[in-house]
């Protein structure tokens, strides 16, 4: 009885199979990003973004230039997006969620163009499941758009450097320019890509490179103005060693830094990169080694150049800002995980790294301590006012204006109020998201005033909300309450802000 030989897999069949895998990873990425899009509360910078896009277009551009201290592309797109989908948390975050979802096929394309389809698939899987990528895909800020544009620029640069038609160079110039118009730190990656293209293509890359350089020069006045922006000055006030420790932590486990200590995260990251280097050097083919050398060099530039700039006195090194290094690093590990001469070891590396980041992605929606501070819950605890009242809250609590009606921010003339509500901390959180997303590490251990904190008012209620205590004071007759008076009664003056709210 004759036995039929198994059918050979043709290149066309393999391309179709890969396309289906990329589609499945993209759908998975969309599910992770959109399913919990509104679960977490807005945080301080998102509140500012909502204020930005609520202005007229011209006023928005002026405000971004004066107050945001960053390039305008995201805010231009978000302004139009808000006109279609509103300025609520879900409506505005969908722009980032779409950019984050699109990053998955773009990362695959970048890996397949320079190394192999398998390397691209592994890197795309990292992107789909990464807690860092999921987090910023659910953030109404420019970071998800930045990463998507950087992934596209890596793809176009790879196709151009391989001798593709001029349209790839043109596409790289366009996307690189858009990345520069989204975030200043894109310049570190785009500059590295330009050097790569000049070495590979010579004079062919001069004109596209000149276009990108012109855009970078056009962004320079904004960058110099942003250097004096108060929204970025907080970075240099934090110890550089702390911020350096956060980079491997957030790259692996996302901004939910309470998952593991910084040192443990650094050991995990070092082990993964060391294993990848050994596999590539000992078992990688020429193509994988060359691709990884390019990606590794680009990632090193994105990490070391900001460190050198910080040492020179312009310190803006922060894990969010150096996210431009994440995609090339993911591609290096993807290439190492798919080496031909050590498939078992490569598969173990890829599976281990994937399991590590996937566990963190699953943990964030399940653990409130890994999420942004829940100002929405604080707003619910405050409720609608029965009388005119003042609120004294941490500065990050400005987000309450997005949840409470008729709330006014930093009023100049304080009205007479019959109620004062103080949002204070019941614990001192020394690590985790509390330090970054509107939490309590910036607050003193005891922010709750004495019972007699406000003369003429009686302390009537205490209510715990996560790491906060909502303390209510009532008076039989309205009194004028100033922030200066409040600070005299042990409310920390750097982190308390006065609100006034008319009865609803």
């Amino acid at each position: 009885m004759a036995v039929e030989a198994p059918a050979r897999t043709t290149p066309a069949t393999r391309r179709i199979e890969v396309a289906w895998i990329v589609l499945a990873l993209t759908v998975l990425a969309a599910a992770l990003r959109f399913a919990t899009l509104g679960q977490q509360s807005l945080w301080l910078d998102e509140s500012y973004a909502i204020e930005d896009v609520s202005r007229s277009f011209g006023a928005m551009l002026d405000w971004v230039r004066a107050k945001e201290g960053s390039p305008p592309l995201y805010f231009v797109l978000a302004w139009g997006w808000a006109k279609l989908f509103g300025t609520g948390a879900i409506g505005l975050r969908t722009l980032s969620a779409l950019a984050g979802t699109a990053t998955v096929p773009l990362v695959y394309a970048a890996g397949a163009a320079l190394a192999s389809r398998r390397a691209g698939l592994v890197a795309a899987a990292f992107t789909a499941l990464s807690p860092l990528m999921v987090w910023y895909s659910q953030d109404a800020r420019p970071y998800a758009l930045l990463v998507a544009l950087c992934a596209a620029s890596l793809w176009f640069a790879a196709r151009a450097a391989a001798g593709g038609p001029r349209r790839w160079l043109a596409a790289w110039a366009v996307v690189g320019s858009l990345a520069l118009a989204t975030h200043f730190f894109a310049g570190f990656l785009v500059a590295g890509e330009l050097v790569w293209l000049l070495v590979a293509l010579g004079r062919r890359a001069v004109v596209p490179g000149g276009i990108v350089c012109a855009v970078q020069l056009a962004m320079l006045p904004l960058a110099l103005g942003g250097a004096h922006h108060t929204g970025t000055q907080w970075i240099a006030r934090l110890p550089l060693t702390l911020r350096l420790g956060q980079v491997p932590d957030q790259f692996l486990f996302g901004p939910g830094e309470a998952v593991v200590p910084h040192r443990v995260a650094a050991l995990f990251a070092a082990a993964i990169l060391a294993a990848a280097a050994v596999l590539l050097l000992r078992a990688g083919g020429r193509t994988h080694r060359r691709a990884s050398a390019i990606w590794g060099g680009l990632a090193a530039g994105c990490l070391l150049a900001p460190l050198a700039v910080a040492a020179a006195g312009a310190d803006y090194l922060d894990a969010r800002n150096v996210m431009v290094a994440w995609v090339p690093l993911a591609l290096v590990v993807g290439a190492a995980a798919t080496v031909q001469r050590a498939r078992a070891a490569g598969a173990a590396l890829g599976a281990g790294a994937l399991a590590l980041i996937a566990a963190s992605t699953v943990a964030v929606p399940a653990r409130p301590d890994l999420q942004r501070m829940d100002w929405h819950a604080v707003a619910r605890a405050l409720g609608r006012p029965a009388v005119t009242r003042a609120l004294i809250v941490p500065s990050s609590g400005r987000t309450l204006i997005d949840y409470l009606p008729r709330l006014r921010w930093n009023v100049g003339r304080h009205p007479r109020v019959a109620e004062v509500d103080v949002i204070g901390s019941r614990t001192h959180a020394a690590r985790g998201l509390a330090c970054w997303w509107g939490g309590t590490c910036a607050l003193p251990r005891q922010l709750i005033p004495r019972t007699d904190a406000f003369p003429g008012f009686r302390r009537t209620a205490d209510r715990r909300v996560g790491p906060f205590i909502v303390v209510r004071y009532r008076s039989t007759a309205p009194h004028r309450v100033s922030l200066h008076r409040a600070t005299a009664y042990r409310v920390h003056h750097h982190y308390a802000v006065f609100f006034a709210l008319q009865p609803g």
Side-chain angles (χ1 to χ4, degrees):
M1 181 177 177
V3 178
E4 293 184 5
R8 291 184 178 180
T9 304
T10 65
T13 302
R14 284 196 293 270
R15 284 195 296 270
I16 293 173
E17 290 173 350
V18 168
W20 278 109
I21 295 173
V22 173
L23 178 61
L25 289 172
T26 305
V27 171
L28 173 62
L32 290 172
R33 286 150 178 78
F34 282 94
T36 57
L37 195 59
Q39 176 176 328
Q40 296 193 54
S41 171
L42 293 164
W43 70 289
L44 181 61
D45 282 12
E46 287 184 298
S47 181
Y48 283 126
I50 290 173
E51 181 180 359
D52 293 341
V53 301
S54 298
R55 302 171 184 270
S56 68
F57 187 76
M60 179 270 295
L61 289 177
D62 289 339
W63 185 261
V64 168
R65 176 185 56 82
K67 299 297 183 181
E68 284 287 348
S70 62
L73 179 60
Y74 169 79
F75 300 98
V76 170
L77 296 176
W79 185 87
W81 196 264
K83 297 298 179 284
L84 296 174
F85 301 101
T87 57
I90 294 178
L92 202 55
R93 285 173 177 172
T94 50
L95 176 59
S96 293
L98 286 172
T101 302
T103 304
V104 173
L106 290 171
V107 168
Y108 161 76
L114 196 58
S116 67
R117 291 191 185 117
R118 289 184 178 181
L121 286 175
V122 173
F126 290 153
T127 307
L129 293 172
S130 165
L132 185 69
M133 297 296 107
V134 172
W135 182 278
Y136 285 108
S137 296
Q138 298 180 332
D139 187 29
R141 298 296 293 178
Y143 304 105
L145 178 62
L146 169 68
V147 174
L149 291 171
C150 288
S153 72
L154 285 168
W155 174 27
F156 296 151
R159 293 300 300 266
R166 289 185 179 273
R167 65 175 179 269
W168 292 105
L169 263 177
W172 171 81
V174 170
V175 170
S177 299
L178 292 175
L180 293 172
T182 301
H183 197 283
F184 294 126
F185 273 57
F188 297 116
L189 179 66
V190 174
E193 292 172 342
L194 177 56
V195 172
W196 170 24
L197 291 171
L198 287 171
V199 171
L201 301 176
R203 287 182 294 180
R204 284 184 60 197
V206 170
V207 172
I211 294 172
V212 169
C213 290
V215 173
Q216 180 68 90
L217 288 174
M219 294 294 114
L220 192 58
L222 285 175
L224 295 176
H228 305 289
H229 181 243
T230 56
T232 58
Q233 291 174 359
W234 63 269
I235 296 176
R237 289 197 291 266
L238 296 172
L240 181 60
T241 53
L242 171 66
R243 288 178 278 130
L244 287 174
Q246 288 171 333
V247 173
D249 199 342
Q250 294 198 19
F251 273 32
L252 275 179
F253 302 108
E257 296 172 9
V259 176
V260 296
H262 291 332
R263 292 180 181 178
V264 176
L267 288 174
F268 274 123
I272 290 171
L273 292 177
V278 170
L279 280 171
L280 288 164
L281 290 173
R282 301 190 62 178
R286 183 172 179 270
T287 300
H288 277 61
R289 287 200 301 268
R290 176 179 175 275
S292 297
I294 292 172
W295 291 326
L298 292 172
C302 293
L303 295 171
L304 296 179
L307 184 59
V309 172
D315 189 358
Y316 303 102
L317 196 154
D318 176 61
R320 289 177 294 175
N321 291 339
V322 297
M323 280 176 61
V324 289
W326 190 92
V327 170
L329 286 175
L331 289 166
V332 169
V333 179
T338 55
V339 293
Q340 291 295 315
R341 290 186 290 168
R343 292 186 178 182
L349 171 64
L354 200 61
L356 201 63
I357 64 175
S360 297
T361 297
V362 172
V364 170
R367 289 179 50 179
D369 62 312
L370 303 182
Q371 300 173 14
R372 300 172 177 91
M373 290 293 97
D374 195 354
W375 290 109
H376 195 189
V378 173
R380 290 195 298 268
L382 289 168
R384 296 179 66 86
V387 295
T388 302
R389 70 182 176 188
L391 273 64
I392 298 174
V393 304
S395 57
S396 53
R398 181 189 185 281
T399 307
L400 288 170
I401 66 176
D402 300 306
Y403 293 116
L404 292 172
R406 304 178 68 184
L407 192 62
R408 288 188 288 157
W409 166 258
N410 259 2
V411 295
R413 177 177 173 80
H414 305 300
R416 295 181 179 275
V417 297
E419 177 182 306
V420 179
D421 290 338
V422 179
I423 292 84
S425 62
R426 61 183 176 88
T427 58
H428 179 79
R431 62 174 187 165
L433 292 183
C435 296
W436 296 100
W437 311 112
T440 57
C441 78
L443 305 176
R445 178 176 292 276
Q446 180 68 306
L447 191 65
I448 305 306
R450 302 188 305 267
T451 302
D452 61 344
F454 301 99
F457 289 82
R458 182 171 56 90
R459 186 167 175 168
T460 60
D462 294 2
R463 181 174 178 180
R464 291 190 175 187
V465 183
F468 297 114
I469 296 180
V470 178
V471 182
R472 177 160 292 171
Y473 299 84
R474 281 285 180 89
S475 173
T476 55
H479 295 271
R480 200 177 301 281
V481 177
S482 69
L483 180 59
H484 174 73
R485 172 60 63 87
T487 59
Y489 287 90
R490 293 162 55 181
V491 175
H492 197 283
H493 67 281
H494 289 301
Y495 295 97
V497 179
F498 184 91
F499 296 87
L501 183 64
Q502 302 301 322

